[in-house]
Amino acid sequence: MKQLYFKSKKHIIAVALSWISVLILLQSYFIPKFGKLTGQKLLDFSDFNSETINQIVSKFGDAGVNLYFKIQFFDFLSPLLLGFLLVSICLTILIKRGIKFSFIGYFPFLLTLFDFIENGIILNILIKYPEKNK
C-alpha cells in the first residue's frame, strides 16, 4: 500500500489552510445566514428524536432546507480535509521516526468516518423531509 504522507511542509500547510478556509466560511457565513433565515439551530446542534424531527425541519421552510443542503456540502468537505491533514501529519511523524506500525497513522480517518455518518443521517433527513411533510 502506498503511504499517504507529505514530503513537504508546504503541502501540509496548503491542506491546513484549505480546512481553515472551509471552517471560516461555515462559521462566519453559512451558519449565521441559516440562523437569520430560519431562526433555528442546525440539526448538528439540536436535540431531536424521530417524533420531533419533522416539526424541527418544517420550521426551516423550503429556503432553510435548500440552504442546509449547501451547508452539508461544506460539512462533508471539512472532515475530509481534516482527516487528510491529521493522517498526513501522523504518518509523516511515524515514518520519520521509523515506526513500523504506520497503520496507526490512519486512525484519524475514524474521525472523518463518524462525521460522515452523522452528516449522512442529516442529509437523509433533509432528503426525506418533503415526503413526510405531505
Side-chain angles (χ1 to χ4, degrees):
M1 176 172 23
K2 186 177 179 186
Q3 296 292 338
L4 174 66
Y5 70 98
F6 294 129
K7 295 180 180 176
S8 166
K9 289 180 184 176
K10 290 180 185 177
H11 294 114
I12 292 174
I13 292 170
V15 173
L17 290 176
S18 298
W19 174 63
I20 290 168
S21 298
V22 168
L23 285 181
I24 289 171
L25 188 61
L26 278 170
Q27 297 295 327
S28 66
Y29 178 71
F30 281 112
I31 293 174
K33 184 176 179 179
F34 181 81
K36 287 179 185 173
L37 180 67
T38 66
Q40 303 292 316
K41 297 185 289 186
L42 295 176
L43 292 175
D44 301 61
F45 309 116
S46 302
D47 292 329
F48 62 87
N49 58 40
S50 60
E51 297 170 5
T52 61
I53 190 64
N54 285 332
Q55 293 171 335
I56 293 171
V57 176
S58 67
K59 291 179 184 177
F60 295 167
D62 290 337
V65 170
N66 289 333
L67 179 58
Y68 211 131
F69 278 114
K70 293 176 186 171
I71 292 170
Q72 281 301 106
F73 170 77
F74 289 102
D75 206 15
F76 272 100
L77 186 59
S78 176
L80 182 65
L81 289 170
L82 179 60
F84 278 123
L85 177 65
L86 293 177
V87 166
S88 299
I89 290 170
C90 290
L91 286 177
T92 301
I93 291 168
L94 291 171
I95 290 169
K96 286 186 178 184
R97 292 185 180 216
I99 297 175
K100 295 182 182 188
F101 301 107
S102 60
F103 68 89
I104 295 169
Y106 290 99
F107 282 148
F109 272 140
L110 288 175
L111 244 161
T112 301
L113 174 68
F114 289 118
D115 204 339
F116 275 10
I117 291 169
E118 175 203 13
N119 292 339
I121 290 168
I122 291 173
L123 193 60
N124 190 32
I125 289 169
L126 294 173
I127 289 169
K128 289 183 177 184
Y129 159 70
E131 294 172 10
K132 293 196 173 205
N133 199 33
K134 290 181 181 179

